[in-house]
Every structure is written in C-alpha cells, then in structure tokens.
Amino acid sequence: MSITAPSLAYTGDLQLEYATCDYAVAQPSSWWQGVLGVAGFEKPPLINRPGIPVAASLTPCLNASNLCEVWRVAGPHAPLSSDESAHARIRYRHSDDLLFGALTLTEQVSGARGEADALLRATELAYQEIFQVLESTQHRHLVRIWNYLPQINAQADGEERYRHFNAARQMAFRKCGRATMGTVPAASALGTPAGSPLSIYFLAARSAPRMIENPRQTSAYHYPPKFGRHSPVFSRACVWGDPRRGKLFISGTASIVGHESIHRGNVEAQTRETLVNINALVDEANRIVGAQRYSTHELMLKVYVRNASDLPTVKAAVAEVLGTVPVMVFLQADVCREDLLVEIEAVG
Ligand code: 3EB
C-alpha cells in the first residue's frame, strides 16, 4: 500500500527569535540551516557564516547587549539559496517563498551635487536595487522593510533629511512601476548617529501580504503636504503567510491620531497613545483574517526612544498597559517627526 504525498508542498513558517550574538555564533550548522538573515542593533553582529546576510539598525540597544534578531524558515523546507546583487550591495538569502535582504550604502554617491542630492541618490539607488533583486528572484512582494538613516531630523539644503528620503523612496517605487499606495510594505524609518551609512533590511515574498491600515490614523501615503511634498510609502501593518499561522508585521507606530502628532512633550502619554494605535492594528488584523489570532499581549515589541533618559518612563508605561511581554527590545533612535519621543514596532 502506498501513501500519496500531499499535492501542496509544506513550505515552512517564518519565525523570529532574539538571541545574543555569542549564542548564535556557538550554534551548530543544524541551527543555522533555516536562517534567512540576522539583524543586529548598534553594530552589525560578528557572524561570519557563508551565505547568511547580516544587517544592523545602527541604533544603540538600551536594555541588552550584543543582541540580534534571527529570521528563519522553520519546519521542513528546501535548502535556502544565497546571492548578492550585481554590485554586491545587497546580500540576500531566500527560500521558495521568502527572501531576507540587507544593504548599507554611504551617501557619497559619485556625481552628487550637495548633501540633499547625495541622500536622494543613495536612497533611490538602494530601492531600485532592492526591486531589481525582487524581480530577479521572483519574490516580487515587499512585505516588511526597515530603514535607518543618519540624522533623520537634520536639515539638508533647506529641507529635513527624512523628507528627502521620502521623495527618493517614492520616486524609486514609481520608476520601478510599483504602486505608491495600498499594496506598499509595512515599514520603519528611524534616525541613526551622524556618519552612519544608510542601512536597510527587508523581507519579501513570492505571495502577496494582506495590508492593514489603522482606523485611528490617516494612511501615511495620504498625509497632507504639510508633512512633506512626497508622502511616505508604507502600510501601517500587514499579515503574511499561512492563513492559519501567518505573521503580523506592525510598522513603526507613534503617537499620531489622524495625521497629527499628539501629546507633544509628554513621553508617557505618547507611549500610551502608541499602544492604543497598536491595539487598533491588532483588532484590524484579526478582523481581516476573520479570527482572534493576534493579541497585543503576545507581540514581540521593539521600542525606539528618542532620549535614553526617558527609558524608565516608557518602560513603566508599557508595563502598566501590557504587563509582561514575551520580547521587548529598547533602542535609542531619532523618530521621524521632531515632536515624537517614542515609536514602537511589533511582530505577532
Ligand atoms: C508615522 O506614523 C511615524 O517612513 O517608513 C513610521 C513607520 C514612520 C514608517 C516610514 C515612518 C515610516 O508617520 C513615522
């Protein structure tokens, strides 16, 4: 008697875990087998495994040292493949349906005229190369992207650097024939110290994620022009993967209601408002998947605080609202509006 193999191949789930770099480095190759990529915080993790892309937010971690996040395909799956883009700027690794990629880029792009132009060119180049990789491997759907740029709130040639970044990101999406609203990835954009390179890492997939917007907020791609002539290109959240076990990606979320920042100067109130926004996204995700699958209490949180001295206040506010959380990483980073003191992203 023979058993017929199921016609649909099981392709493994995406998993995120936090570990110290020392722990990761000491693991046997069986542990590394399904790893798509590793992202560290203040520095790129010292991980020299052939084929494993390494990224870093370049934001100091305030509550742990030497920590990294490990993205892996769990469960049975075909061996992963690794490669680099033509100019070796993007290192990436992929399974059949998922791809992790990372790149760093200095803003000294040849031929640039001035600081703003250099930032515009570097950003546009980064996104164009990302889209080239996604076309060549056929992981066409950008699911989640993390953007770290030096001095995000500083002025360059009369405009905030974050706004130049937005202009270039939007331009790259257009030039690559991509939508700039609706089916755009979940994202974060944070500021890093002067002199850091532009650092970007991302997850992409062969199948499309389901995008989620926050009913309490204006979609970022519909922000009015007073926040910049070119709107940011990101979704508030998305779910990707198996309909019963898919991952929820919550974009960087702040104390914004409608399109206005609220609780200026009050980091505790900003933290609480941010958690109300995250809760609204979790509710919206559950509504869209048609089940109570995600809970705000079970999220893995990454909390960015503008001023390290606000850490105790932010920590206490999160604990009061959520109790103990499975994973919480606190990082110091500038948030992309000067009046925002805290931003929280999450994976469920
Ligand atoms: C906001 O809600 C806060 O430009 O990719 C959050 C997440 C923010 C992503 C981005 C910006 C971005 O507008 C800032």
Side-chain angles (χ1 to χ4, degrees):
M1 202 178 96
S2 70
I3 297 168
T4 314
S7 57
L8 255 181
Y10 178 68
T11 52
D13 289 322
L14 175 62
Q15 282 187 358
L16 167 62
E17 70 192 88
Y18 285 87
T20 64
C21 299
D22 296 343
Y23 174 86
V25 165
Q27 297 312 299
S29 52
S30 57
W31 187 88
W32 284 97
Q33 216 202 356
V35 174
L36 285 166
V38 179
F41 302 115
E42 47 268 281
K43 293 190 292 265
L46 294 170
I47 288 164
N48 262 316
R49 288 263 165 180
I52 304 282
V54 167
S57 61
L58 308 174
T59 56
C61 185
L62 300 173
N63 69 323
S65 59
N66 209 19
L67 205 62
C68 62
E69 51 180 61
V70 181
W71 292 94
R72 71 164 72 243
V73 180
H77 57 86
L80 306 184
S81 312
S82 298
D83 213 339
E84 315 182 313
S85 60
H87 312 288
R89 261 190 285 256
I90 305 187
R91 283 143 295 120
Y92 58 94
R93 186 164 172 83
H94 63 89
S95 67
D96 265 358
D97 35 44
L98 272 166
L99 181 145
F100 176 98
L103 76 157
T104 54
L105 203 56
T106 60
E107 287 172 39
Q108 274 90 56
V109 176
S110 64
R113 290 164 285 110
E115 183 190 340
D117 192 44
L119 173 58
L120 287 163
R121 288 186 191 218
T123 304
E124 213 181 301
L125 190 63
Y127 270 83
Q128 284 181 320
E129 286 195 10
I130 290 168
F131 292 136
Q132 278 166 21
V133 165
L134 303 193
E135 294 299 329
S136 74
T137 66
Q138 287 296 295
H139 295 76
R140 291 200 71 254
H141 302 278
L142 201 47
V143 174
R144 179 53 165 114
I145 188 157
W146 288 265
N147 304 283
Y148 298 97
L149 55 144
Q151 296 189 287
I152 197 165
N153 301 126
Q155 298 283 312
D157 302 330
E159 182 124 69
E160 193 186 37
R161 283 169 51 82
Y162 175 58
R163 296 186 179 201
H164 290 301
F165 170 83
N166 276 322
R169 172 170 56 179
Q170 197 182 99
M171 183 61 75
F173 271 75
R174 286 185 198 288
K175 283 190 181 166
C176 296
R178 298 204 162 229
T180 55
M181 317 178 175
T183 54
V184 293
S188 300
L190 281 306
T192 54
S196 310
L198 183 62
S199 176
I200 300 179
Y201 67 96
F202 57 95
L203 287 161
R206 197 149 291 177
S207 56
R210 275 176 290 176
M211 298 311 174
I212 294 158
E213 288 300 298
N214 186 340
R216 303 182 79 236
Q217 294 185 316
T218 308
S219 294
Y221 43 77
H222 290 145
Y223 279 165
K226 72 167 178 172
F227 297 104
R229 281 198 305 127
H230 303 272
S231 295
V233 179
F234 72 94
S235 291
R236 297 296 183 186
C238 71
V239 289
W240 182 87
D242 182 289
R244 288 172 310 277
R245 296 184 304 267
K247 277 254 175 288
L248 167 63
F249 295 95
I250 294 184
S251 293
T253 303
S255 180
I256 296 174
V257 175
H259 52 76
E260 299 289 357
S261 307
I262 62 169
H263 310 302
R264 191 186 178 99
N266 183 342
V267 74
E268 184 188 340
Q270 287 197 11
T271 306
R272 290 175 183 275
E273 198 68 51
T274 299
L275 292 172
V276 173
N277 277 328
I278 287 180
N279 208 44
L281 286 167
V282 169
D283 287 347
E284 192 62 8
N286 286 331
R287 187 183 70 76
I288 283 172
V289 301
Q292 285 298 310
R293 187 177 315 139
Y294 306 105
S295 155
T296 309
H297 297 267
E298 288 161 16
L299 298 173
M300 296 166 100
L301 300 181
K302 239 153 86 185
V303 181
Y304 299 94
V305 297
R306 181 184 290 278
N307 303 310
S309 58
D310 285 337
L311 179 66
T313 311
V314 174
K315 233 181 195 171
V318 176
E320 263 179 54
V321 177
L322 295 181
T324 49
V325 177
V327 177
M328 186 147 49
V329 180
F330 289 91
L331 303 161
Q332 192 282 313
D334 292 341
V335 182
C336 66
R337 285 185 190 181
E338 222 136 16
D339 49 9
L340 295 174
L341 299 169
V342 60
E343 181 172 310
I344 305 179
E345 60 177 61
V347 176

